[in-house]
Amino acid sequence: MPHYSEKSIFPMQGGCPCGYVRYQVNQAPLLVHCCHCTSCQRELGTAFAINAIIESDQLELLPPAQPTIPGTKGAPGGALAGFNATFARLTFSDTTCGPVVLKTENAEPQATANANANRDMETSTVELVTLPTESSVGMTVAQCSACHSGLWAHYADAGPHTTYLRAGTLDAAHEINPDVHIFTRSKRGFISLADGKPQFESYYKERAGFIRDDCKARYAALEEKTGTYMAELRAALGK
């Protein structure tokens, strides 16, 4: 099976279940890891998280769209998704989502929002929530401001410069397989890791060794960008 970087699948779009947040990833991820830590299990309510690591400026916000069903290996997807108003009432729903429109008529076009230095904060479609982590630094999760589904996160390693995209929110998530498994010490017992990918009981110590040759220049540029951010964070942590 060819690696995702060898397929002609990028740019690739994705979004939240209600369609209010739509995005496009313009290049293949630098790395994709499958995280089995208990924090990811709790946050997502599932056994693991698949994170596609990408430079934040390679994630482009698009206008809201009709919600659709994601594709699978055997089916292309794209069918419209919806809900029944009576069902929503009978299940005591406080609100319903999608399809929706921009909150303000004068909002900046979403297709250019990625050019903003503070992209996430300058769009009404995304809200940022910082959650506690074992490291006590935290993680900032980007959620749809309508359905509150998590879409990506920023972690301490590169802050706002790197986006950990929840790969399951991609329209063709089945095309993306992990390059490495981390925090296998808390892997759920019913999961068998037989894909031949590297495994680590906790976090890997050195990411550079997993970066593909075609991404080394991109990774070096990203490392250079994070200098000021890391200096400020280390000072705040007393390091």
Side-chain angles (χ1 to χ4, degrees), residues 76-142:
L80 291 179
F83 61 86
N84 181 276
T86 300
F87 169 78
R89 176 179 59 80
L90 292 174
T91 52
F92 309 105
S93 175
D94 292 320
T95 187
T96 55
C97 295
V100 289
V101 296
L102 289 175
K103 292 182 177 178
T104 59
E105 293 181 0
N106 297 323
E108 182 179 3
Q110 299 300 303
T112 61
N114 66 311
N116 297 323
N118 201 7
R119 179 205 63 210
D120 296 331
M121 294 297 290
E122 294 193 7
T123 170
S124 62
T125 61
V126 173
E127 62 183 12
L128 298 179
V129 179
T130 300
L131 303 175
T133 59
E134 184 178 346
S135 68
S136 297
V137 176
M139 59 181 286
T140 297
V141 179

Side-chain angles (χ1 to χ4, degrees), residues 48-225:
F48 52 80
I50 299 180
N51 291 313
I53 303 172
I54 190 80
E55 305 98 312
S56 294
D57 59 9
Q58 292 301 315
L59 182 66
E60 179 180 348
L61 287 170
L62 304 174
Q66 291 273 5
T68 58
I69 303 300
T72 65
K73 186 176 181 180
L80 291 179
F83 61 86
N84 181 276
T86 300
F87 169 78
R89 176 179 59 80
L90 292 174
T91 52
F92 309 105
S93 175
D94 292 320
T95 187
T96 55
C97 295
V100 289
V101 296
L102 289 175
K103 292 182 177 178
T104 59
E105 293 181 0
N106 297 323
E108 182 179 3
Q110 299 300 303
T112 61
N114 66 311
N116 297 323
N118 201 7
R119 179 205 63 210
D120 296 331
M121 294 297 290
E122 294 193 7
T123 170
S124 62
T125 61
V126 173
E127 62 183 12
L128 298 179
V129 179
T130 300
L131 303 175
T133 59
E134 184 178 346
S135 68
S136 297
V137 176
M139 59 181 286
T140 297
V141 179
Q143 301 176 339
C144 169
S145 60
C147 69
H148 306 292
S149 299
L151 295 157
W152 59 81
H154 302 298
Y155 288 88
D157 60 344
H161 302 288
T162 299
T163 292
Y164 285 67
L165 182 69
R166 304 307 192 215
T169 65
L170 288 162
D171 289 349
H174 61 282
E175 298 280 7
I176 311 295
N177 291 323
D179 297 306
V180 59
H181 294 270
I182 59 175
F183 288 99
T184 58
R185 66 189 182 195
S186 49
K187 176 181 69 68
R188 297 293 301 276
F190 64 87
I191 295 175
S192 176
L193 302 180
D195 58 0
K197 301 299 174 63
Q199 302 176 23
F200 294 87
E201 289 193 353
S202 56
Y203 203 72
Y204 40 71
K205 293 183 179 180
E206 181 58 49
R207 176 179 295 168
F210 294 101
I211 300 299
R212 305 183 306 277
D213 288 343
D214 63 296
C215 288
K216 290 190 183 299
R218 290 168 53 193
Y219 186 70
L222 182 61
E223 290 275 275
E224 188 174 342
K225 280 184 181 179

Side-chain angles (χ1 to χ4, degrees), residues 12-16 21-25 62 151 169-172:
M12 183 186 291
Q13 295 186 9
C16 68
V21 176
R22 293 292 299 169
Y23 65 78
Q24 178 171 287
V25 177
L62 304 174
L151 295 157
T169 65
L170 288 162
D171 289 349

